[in-house]
Amino acid sequence: MSQADHSIPAVVPEENEERKEPSFSLDILYRRYAPWLTARLKRRFGDAAEDLVQETYIRVAPYGERVEIRHPKALLMHIATHVAIDEDRRRKREPALFGVREDGGRDEQASGGQSELVLLKQVILSMPPHLRDVFLLSRFGGLSYDGIADRLGLPVKTVEWRMSKALAYCKTKIRD
């Protein structure tokens, strides 16, 4: 098997599906399963479904580069469920960011949630590229430090160091 054969993401259709091509890109995976995933998630999570689908595909992207996906629907649903759990945890940790008071009511003064997200985006974009790459792969790409090290060709200790610097950078810039 050549080097190029290892870099092609492969999705194997599920048992009841016809096998049309031996391998698929993330784009084809998205076009093929996004409507199905969106419909499933809308039943479970309502209006948040589309955001969950987008985050799911961000997190599934690294899988396609390294492994053959034998059961794409199962993988997508598994990741989407974990994305929803992560989002719920994050909202519980940061209720003021989303305009929700501790008692569950709306906080009218917390309309700054959008401005805080814009600030976070600006901070990430201003981050030095070597720190930003590690930060984005970890926080938005869902990769472990080992996965980031493999992808960037770095030692794991370097990834850990860069991540700690990236977090410190965010903390400093957000406080300013």
Side-chain angles (χ1 to χ4, degrees):
M1 198 177 274
S2 71
Q3 180 78 15
D5 293 338
H6 292 291
S7 65
I8 299 172
V11 176
V12 178
E14 295 187 359
E15 289 179 29
N16 59 350
E17 296 179 3
E18 182 181 319
R19 186 183 187 108
K20 295 180 180 173
E21 297 179 30
S23 62
F24 295 87
S25 68
L26 182 62
D27 179 56
I28 293 172
L29 180 72
Y30 181 81
R31 283 187 280 138
R32 186 170 191 180
Y33 295 105
W36 168 83
L37 184 61
T38 302
R40 292 287 304 262
L41 295 177
K42 276 190 181 192
R43 282 184 271 172
R44 257 177 106 177
F45 302 107
D47 293 335
E50 291 179 12
D51 291 336
L52 292 173
V53 169
Q54 295 300 317
E55 182 64 25
T56 297
Y57 277 93
I58 288 170
R59 291 190 187 185
V60 82
Y63 287 95
E65 295 176 1
R66 301 192 178 204
V67 297
E68 184 175 338
I69 301 173
R70 294 187 184 274
H71 303 284
K73 286 182 176 179
L75 176 65
L76 291 170
M77 187 53 80
H78 177 78
I79 291 172
T81 301
H82 285 279
V83 167
I85 290 168
D86 290 348
E87 182 68 18
D88 185 54
R89 286 181 186 151
R90 186 173 62 85
R91 285 177 188 237
K92 286 178 181 174
R93 281 194 315 262
E94 303 168 6
L97 179 64
F98 297 98
V100 178
R101 295 189 313 253
E102 290 295 324
D103 64 2
R106 296 289 300 166
D107 184 356
E108 298 306 322
Q109 294 179 356
S111 63
Q114 291 238 345
S115 63
E116 289 177 6
L117 292 175
V118 169
L119 172 63
L120 180 60
K121 182 177 180 180
Q122 290 171 342
V123 168
I124 292 170
L125 291 174
S126 71
M127 197 179 291
H130 67 283
L131 301 180
R132 184 176 54 234
D133 292 345
V134 170
F135 182 83
L136 291 174
L137 288 171
S138 173
R139 297 298 189 226
F140 298 100
L143 293 179
S144 67
Y145 289 168
D146 289 334
I148 296 168
D150 287 344
R151 172 158 300 169
L152 298 178
L154 299 170
V156 175
K157 287 292 183 189
T158 301
V159 171
E160 291 171 357
W161 181 86
R162 287 183 182 182
M163 188 63 184
S164 69
K165 293 296 181 188
L167 292 172
Y169 182 89
C170 288
K171 187 176 180 181
T172 300
K173 291 293 185 180
I174 289 174
R175 281 186 180 168
D176 291 344

